Amino acid sequence: MDLSRTELEEAGAVLAAESGRFASFGWMRGTSGNLSTVVSRDPLRLVVTASGHDKGELGPSDVVLVDGAGAALDGGTPSAEAALHARVAALTGAGAVVHVHTVASVAMGRRKPGGIVFRDLEMLKGVGQPAHDTEVTLPVIANSQDMEELGDRLAQARDPRMPAVVVAGHGLYVWGATPRQARHHTEVVEWLLEFALTQG
Amino acid sequence: MDLSRTELEEAGAVLAAESGRFASFGWMRGTSGNLSTVVSRDPLRLVVTASGHDKGELGPSDVVLVDGAGAALDGGTPSAEAALHARVAALTGAGAVVHVHTVASVAMGRRKPGGIVFRDLEMLKGVGQPAHDTEVTLPVIANSQDMEELGDRLAQARDPRMPAVVVAGHGLYVWGATPRQARHHTEVVEWLLEFALTQG
Amino acid sequence: MDLSRTELEEAGAVLAAESGRFASFGWMRGTSGNLSTVVSRDPLRLVVTASGHDKGELGPSDVVLVDGAGAALDGGTPSAEAALHARVAALTGAGAVVHVHTVASVAMGRRKPGGIVFRDLEMLKGVGQPAHDTEVTLPVIANSQDMEELGDRLAQARDPRMPAVVVAGHGLYVWGATPRQARHHTEVVEWLLEFALTQG
Amino acid sequence: MDLSRTELEEAGAVLAAESGRFASFGWMRGTSGNLSTVVSRDPLRLVVTASGHDKGELGPSDVVLVDGAGAALDGGTPSAEAALHARVAALTGAGAVVHVHTVASVAMGRRKPGGIVFRDLEMLKGVGQPAHDTEVTLPVIANSQDMEELGDRLAQARDPRMPAVVVAGHGLYVWGATPRQARHHTEVVEWLLEFALTQG
């Protein structure tokens, strides 16, 4: 599959803008987190933010094209987590994946290691769930530095009704059809976690 | 009633600016919330923000003209909640309605399902109430997806001294004579809720 | 005393900038709070922000010239609290007074109605106090709508070592030699209050 | 050692930008905190932010060149803490030092005067530590106005695995190879402290 430099930079500009937004919220402190967008489904190809940069200072070329295993195709150094982005895209059909390190996700992951249960919240509609009378669980999985192990845990734990998983001691993975929908899902899941934190 | 494209966009520009402000506070995460302004009283007509958009990215044309039942007059898709905006405008005489999803409103609504009582707070003057010696209640109503039911609950529970209602598990409805006054009322009510949250 | 329109607007531009800064912190929600700067000492004259405006949207002409009793000299409507600004300036020799409504000040005023005691904090140096081994009290006074009564309470309660007083159920008065120093004192006092809030 | 005015202002522009960023986070309230960057290793020379300025309003010339004892070489008034910046640079080999006053650092310093222990947090990788199974301690040292005493405490307490120390009742010292890395370390340490605060 060929992706022109222009197409790569267009995808990079979108990810840089999304990244700057999340950084402004304090969700990508240090150089943490990474974002991706699917540019080809068959074979699976993603554009992923490059590793080690300040996520509030990315430019359109600070991205890497990776294959379905998260390996770089054009040079550059993707985050090790690129493999997990690719796995999420393959597993869920998502067109974009967001990985951020929010304090609320790690705090709630520690408080509820078996999963965080929500019900009777209008905000659940923001991730496609009913606002009433239905329990929806945000899964929590154990952290790992082995992306295959982490991906297996995510594959096993994920709830098709919830486009997100908390990685304990680590942060959030959230996905959506597009970068904008993934952003909205991320905002909604973080809202749910911040609400849960106030509930003692 | 005729509303020219220019008049519609002028109202839209005001709502887009207000919406961007509330989004910057984190009160409209995902695509949540909506704003409206009354453009005609008899017959009742409102301009309401369009559904499904990021509330930090609205433009002047991302609005819909609706009638007193919340039905679109010129095409476009208003939020289902447009009907409740229209009901609030009819019921209270307000010229603008703000609906936002704040964490503090949902947290306090869960803590105090019978209503949140305030007294001896200077900020109460910001919603037209005395700062001293008088209890003022911010009503809390149960959530519903049926706008008529939700409107009935709001009509029954609202306190004419308080231009706002908390919808449990959902967020805030606040109103005022103009978009700017509705903004100020919203800021005051949210301040009161954030204060109440610190009181354990 | 004559103050040219240009001089008034220069003072207004400074207050508008300070006001926009405090509003961006969320310390002037609704139309709450007001700022002043002394433009003449004998007779005492202050420029005070006009009442009822959004404190994030002030322009250089949204100010009023008042005398030592807080009465408007050139027309315009000062806040009723202008009289208290003038009293603080007379009492303390301050050249600028800041009045903001912060959640932390009202929360701590309710928790410690007899005054909030600080010690062993480097930040105390920011209000001219030693960082070590000395207790410094931020006085808390009861609220009143009578500015003379409120001024009497402030005069009696204030500690010359602390350029600030909490008004219970209301907010903060802070002062300094210049608008910039008053800003720094305000930031320091608010930091102290936010720290105190975490101490349970 | 000669440092041209241009070189000094280039270093000053970097520190002013970093300072404005930290001020926007609320970590340099009042005129608190200071930043430095090493411009010569032998002899040791640092450019340090000037004392007494608002840290959100620094310009490229609001800096002072100091020697390894923190004494000004070209005039200007460095912070008294310049001596500690120089000491940290000498001791650790760091190329940049950040000193900020965050509420979370002072709150956690009071809660854990013997040091704050972290483990099993992905964010630890942001300061070069393993995310799993290893305890990492952020040292807490007693405050002092004597920079030699404070430096001795820092030298004795610091853990080579952690590029930061909490000064109790005061704030954070954090360092890195460059101003950007020191920024990232600061953001990571503050994230860890904010997380720790939620753990009761």
Side-chain angles (χ1 to χ4, degrees):
Chain A
M1 176 224 165
D2 282 328
L3 193 73
S4 72
R5 173 77 15 205
T6 303
E7 290 167 308
L8 185 64
E9 295 219 343
E10 280 171 4
V14 169
L15 294 184
E18 295 294 324
S19 189
R21 175 185 286 257
F22 290 128
S24 79
F25 297 161
W27 301 353
M28 303 186 89
R29 292 293 193 210
T31 64
S32 70
N34 28 67
L35 310 183
S36 66
T37 183
V38 172
V39 289
S40 157
R41 185 57 65 183
D42 187 10
L44 183 61
R45 297 288 182 264
L46 300 90
V47 174
V48 187
T49 52
S51 189
H53 290 60
D54 191 300
K55 295 309 187 293
E57 296 180 328
L58 293 185
S61 57
D62 295 325
V63 288
V64 182
L65 180 68
V66 303
D67 66 15
L73 294 172
D74 283 339
T77 308
S79 166
E81 289 160 325
L84 191 51
H85 283 251
R87 180 101 179 247
V88 169
L91 195 65
T92 68
V97 181
V98 170
H99 172 51
V100 286
H101 290 196
T102 71
V103 170
S105 65
V106 179
M108 283 307 303
R110 194 155 286 191
R111 197 185 288 176
K112 304 281 186 189
I116 306 153
V117 179
F118 299 100
R119 66 175 297 151
D120 293 332
L121 290 166
E122 186 79 10
M123 269 303 212
L124 289 168
K125 291 166 68 179
V127 285
Q129 293 308 307
H132 301 277
D133 302 324
T134 305
E135 288 196 344
V136 182
T137 299
L138 175 61
V140 178
I141 61 174
N143 196 18
S144 172
Q145 298 308 306
D146 177 332
M147 288 305 120
E148 185 144 344
E149 184 174 52
L150 202 50
D152 290 348
R153 289 176 186 164
L154 187 147
Q156 194 183 353
R158 87 182 176 95
D159 181 332
R161 297 179 305 157
M162 175 63 83
V165 163
V166 170
V167 184
H170 187 157
L172 268 179
Y173 276 85
V174 190
W175 50 92
T178 63
R180 181 178 273 114
Q181 194 192 48
R183 176 214 302 168
H184 291 154
H185 286 170
T186 304
E187 290 187 9
V188 166
V189 169
E190 176 67 9
W191 188 99
L192 291 167
L193 289 163
E194 292 177 8
F195 167 70
L197 258 189
T198 69
Q199 298 302 295
Chain B
M1 176 224 164
D2 280 330
L3 194 75
S4 73
R5 172 80 14 208
T6 302
E7 289 167 308
L8 185 65
E9 294 220 342
E10 280 171 4
V14 169
L15 294 185
E18 295 295 324
S19 189
R21 176 186 284 257
F22 290 128
S24 79
F25 296 160
W27 300 353
M28 303 187 88
R29 293 294 193 210
T31 63
S32 69
N34 28 69
L35 310 183
S36 65
T37 183
V38 172
V39 288
S40 156
R41 185 58 64 184
D42 187 12
L44 183 61
R45 297 288 182 265
L46 299 92
V47 174
V48 187
T49 52
S51 189
H53 290 59
D54 191 300
K55 296 308 187 293
E57 295 181 328
L58 293 185
S61 57
D62 295 326
V63 288
V64 183
L65 181 67
V66 303
D67 65 16
L73 293 172
D74 283 339
T77 308
S79 167
E81 290 160 325
L84 190 53
H85 283 251
R87 179 101 178 245
V88 168
L91 195 65
T92 67
V97 181
V98 169
H99 172 50
V100 287
H101 290 197
T102 72
V103 170
S105 65
V106 179
M108 284 306 303
R110 193 156 287 192
R111 198 185 288 174
K112 304 282 186 189
I116 306 155
V117 179
F118 299 101
R119 66 176 296 151
D120 294 330
L121 290 167
E122 187 79 11
M123 269 303 212
L124 289 168
K125 290 166 68 179
V127 285
Q129 292 308 306
H132 301 277
D133 301 325
T134 305
E135 288 196 344
V136 183
T137 299
L138 175 61
V140 177
I141 62 174
N143 195 18
S144 172
Q145 299 307 306
D146 177 331
M147 288 304 120
E148 185 144 343
E149 184 174 52
L150 201 50
D152 289 347
R153 288 176 186 164
L154 187 148
Q156 193 182 354
R158 87 181 176 94
D159 181 333
R161 298 179 304 159
M162 175 63 83
V165 163
V166 170
V167 183
H170 187 156
L172 267 179
Y173 275 85
V174 190
W175 50 91
T178 62
R180 182 178 273 114
Q181 195 193 47
R183 177 215 300 169
H184 292 154
H185 286 169
T186 304
E187 290 187 10
V188 166
V189 169
E190 176 66 10
W191 188 101
L192 291 167
L193 290 163
E194 291 177 7
F195 168 71
L197 258 189
T198 70
Q199 298 301 296
Chain C
M1 176 226 163
D2 281 330
L3 194 74
S4 73
R5 170 86 7 213
T6 303
E7 290 167 307
L8 185 65
E9 296 218 344
E10 280 171 4
V14 170
L15 295 185
E18 295 295 323
S19 189
R21 176 185 286 256
F22 289 128
S24 79
F25 296 161
W27 300 353
M28 303 187 89
R29 292 294 193 209
T31 64
S32 70
N34 27 70
L35 310 183
S36 65
T37 183
V38 172
V39 289
S40 156
R41 186 57 65 184
D42 186 13
L44 183 61
R45 298 287 181 266
L46 300 91
V47 174
V48 187
T49 51
S51 189
H53 289 60
D54 191 300
K55 294 309 187 292
E57 295 181 328
L58 293 185
S61 57
D62 295 326
V63 289
V64 182
L65 181 68
V66 302
D67 66 16
L73 294 172
D74 283 339
T77 309
S79 166
E81 289 160 325
L84 191 52
H85 283 251
R87 179 101 178 246
V88 168
L91 195 65
T92 67
V97 181
V98 169
H99 172 50
V100 287
H101 290 196
T102 72
V103 169
S105 65
V106 179
M108 284 306 303
R110 193 156 286 192
R111 197 186 289 176
K112 304 282 185 188
I116 306 154
V117 179
F118 299 100
R119 67 175 297 152
D120 294 331
L121 290 166
E122 186 79 10
M123 270 302 212
L124 289 168
K125 291 166 68 179
V127 285
Q129 292 308 307
H132 302 277
D133 301 325
T134 305
E135 288 196 345
V136 183
T137 299
L138 175 60
V140 177
I141 61 174
N143 195 17
S144 172
Q145 298 307 306
D146 177 332
M147 289 305 120
E148 185 145 342
E149 184 174 55
L150 202 50
D152 289 347
R153 288 175 186 165
L154 187 147
Q156 194 183 352
R158 86 182 177 94
D159 181 332
R161 298 179 304 158
M162 176 62 84
V165 163
V166 170
V167 184
H170 187 155
L172 268 179
Y173 275 85
V174 190
W175 50 92
T178 62
R180 181 177 272 114
Q181 195 193 48
R183 176 215 301 168
H184 292 154
H185 287 169
T186 304
E187 289 187 10
V188 166
V189 169
E190 176 66 10
W191 187 101
L192 291 167
L193 290 164
E194 292 177 6
F195 168 70
L197 258 188
T198 69
Q199 298 302 296
Chain D
M1 177 225 165
D2 282 329
L3 193 74
S4 72
R5 171 80 14 206
T6 303
E7 290 167 308
L8 185 65
E9 295 219 343
E10 280 171 3
V14 170
L15 294 185
E18 294 296 323
S19 189
R21 175 186 286 258
F22 290 127
S24 79
F25 297 161
W27 300 353
M28 303 186 89
R29 292 294 193 208
T31 64
S32 70
N34 27 69
L35 310 183
S36 66
T37 183
V38 172
V39 289
S40 158
R41 186 56 66 182
D42 186 11
L44 183 60
R45 297 289 182 264
L46 300 90
V47 174
V48 187
T49 51
S51 189
H53 290 59
D54 191 300
K55 295 309 187 294
E57 295 180 328
L58 293 185
S61 58
D62 295 326
V63 289
V64 182
L65 180 68
V66 303
D67 66 16
L73 294 173
D74 283 339
T77 307
S79 167
E81 290 160 326
L84 190 53
H85 283 251
R87 179 101 178 246
V88 169
L91 194 66
T92 67
V97 181
V98 169
H99 171 50
V100 287
H101 290 196
T102 71
V103 170
S105 65
V106 179
M108 284 306 303
R110 193 157 286 192
R111 198 185 287 177
K112 305 281 185 190
I116 306 154
V117 179
F118 299 101
R119 66 175 297 151
D120 293 331
L121 290 166
E122 186 79 10
M123 269 302 211
L124 290 168
K125 292 166 68 179
V127 285
Q129 292 308 306
H132 302 277
D133 302 324
T134 305
E135 287 197 345
V136 183
T137 299
L138 175 61
V140 178
I141 61 173
N143 195 19
S144 173
Q145 298 307 307
D146 177 330
M147 288 304 120
E148 185 144 343
E149 184 174 52
L150 202 50
D152 289 347
R153 288 175 186 164
L154 187 148
Q156 195 182 353
R158 86 182 178 94
D159 181 332
R161 297 179 305 157
M162 175 64 82
V165 163
V166 169
V167 184
H170 187 155
L172 268 179
Y173 275 86
V174 190
W175 50 92
T178 61
R180 181 177 272 115
Q181 194 192 48
R183 176 214 301 168
H184 292 154
H185 287 170
T186 304
E187 289 187 10
V188 167
V189 170
E190 176 67 9
W191 187 100
L192 291 167
L193 289 164
E194 292 177 7
F195 167 71
L197 258 188
T198 69
Q199 298 303 295

